[in-house]
Amino acid sequence: MTPSPTTRRPEVEGVRGVGELRLRWIGHRLRAEVAVVVDGDMTVRQSHAVAVAAEHALLHAVPRLTAALVHADPAPVPGETDPHHALAHHAPA
């Protein structure tokens, strides 16, 4: 059985979008890594609260999920360089 968190994505206040999502089986349990898009004007504390709420929602929505690492990305602003651009040369070819 493969869970599909994208079929029923829980709504979390402050999450504007979902980027990359990875699920991994570790034994009989799942771990998740997900990037969520938040308002770029939020404080670090506000962004962290949204990430915690997203993790909590995922733990309730995905069977056998025991942990989720949630990364908060600021919503893109027209003309602003992608903050991940500096990492692009590390991506597999």
Side-chain angles (χ1 to χ4, degrees):
M1 174 174 136
T2 304
S4 178
T6 54
T7 21
R8 189 183 153 266
R9 185 175 77 197
E11 293 296 322
V12 176
E13 187 176 342
V15 173
R16 290 184 161 188
V18 178
E20 189 173 25
L21 169 65
R22 294 183 184 133
L23 290 172
R24 289 186 176 84
W25 284 104
I26 299 175
H28 296 286
R29 297 169 187 236
L30 280 169
R31 277 193 64 94
E33 297 173 18
V34 62
V36 296
V37 179
V38 299
D39 184 336
D41 292 328
M42 285 183 157
T43 66
V44 172
R45 288 185 189 282
Q46 291 168 324
S47 297
H48 184 260
V50 171
V52 170
E55 177 182 9
H56 189 213
L58 282 170
L59 288 168
H60 282 280
V62 181
R64 294 193 172 173
L65 185 68
T66 58
L69 176 63
V70 180
H71 175 80
D73 281 328
V77 175
E80 186 178 67
T81 304
D82 179 354
H84 298 104
H85 181 71
L87 305 173
H89 67 278
H90 292 287

